[in-house]
Amino acid sequence: MDWKRLLGFASVLLAWAPTALAQDEIATVKAREQQEYALSCQETRFMPEAFWSGDINKDGLTDVIVQSSAIACDNELGSECDALGCPIRLYVQTDDGLFSYVGQVRGFGYSLRYNYGIRVLAFKIGGNRCAKVNSNRCLMIARVEGRKLVRLSTE
């Protein structure tokens, strides 16, 4: 048996596996979202930016963030959006490979960043939902701890 060839094949599989797994995980959450939208929509379309996958709670498992602003219901993009923003839903993967819904934040987008070495989510939310005076928007800083969304601050 040619061990070099076998090791080369194994390294190709390992390099491909994370991408394939991420697509499978997004497909799982996408199917769940599709079921929810089917209750009120005849046709649902997901734009490429509707789903993000990565580890948001530092447990080593892939999690998914859904931006409803990139989902079209009956050809209306962002049908769930209003003056307070659009729902941004969070799902974390459990040890058994299933996804648990953590919650949602109504806002105008998000970013992932590190504050003092801790991975946090910075949600752009309406200024009326934070302590800033005469502000259109502010940031809500939150993190996912296990299966809970914990609000840390607003800036």
Side-chain angles (χ1 to χ4, degrees), residues 85-99:
C86 304
I88 301 166
R89 290 182 279 280
L90 305 163
Y91 294 88
V92 295
Q93 190 175 36
T94 58
D95 292 335
D96 56 5
L98 301 175
F99 283 87

Side-chain angles (χ1 to χ4, degrees), residues 135-148:
S135 175
N136 289 345
R137 296 189 182 157
C138 63
L139 290 177
M140 180 183 90
I141 308 300
R143 66 179 284 178
V144 176
E145 293 178 3
R147 295 185 193 172
K148 292 183 181 181

Side-chain angles (χ1 to χ4, degrees), residues 17-18 45 66 84-85 101 104 118 120-122:
R45 284 185 301 118
V66 180
L84 296 176
Y101 174 75
Q104 76 177 13
I118 299 169
V120 297
L121 295 138

Side-chain angles (χ1 to χ4, degrees), residues 14-32:
L14 289 174
W16 174 79
T19 304
L21 289 175
Q23 292 304 317
D24 288 345
E25 289 151 355
I26 290 174
T28 301
V29 172
K30 187 175 182 179
R32 187 172 180 172

Side-chain angles (χ1 to χ4, degrees), residues 117-138:
I118 299 169
R119 187 157 203 179
V120 297
L121 295 138
F123 296 98
K124 295 175 193 167
I125 61 173
N128 60 342
R129 295 174 38 212
C130 59
K132 287 188 174 183
V133 177
N134 297 327
S135 175
N136 289 345
R137 296 189 182 157
C138 63

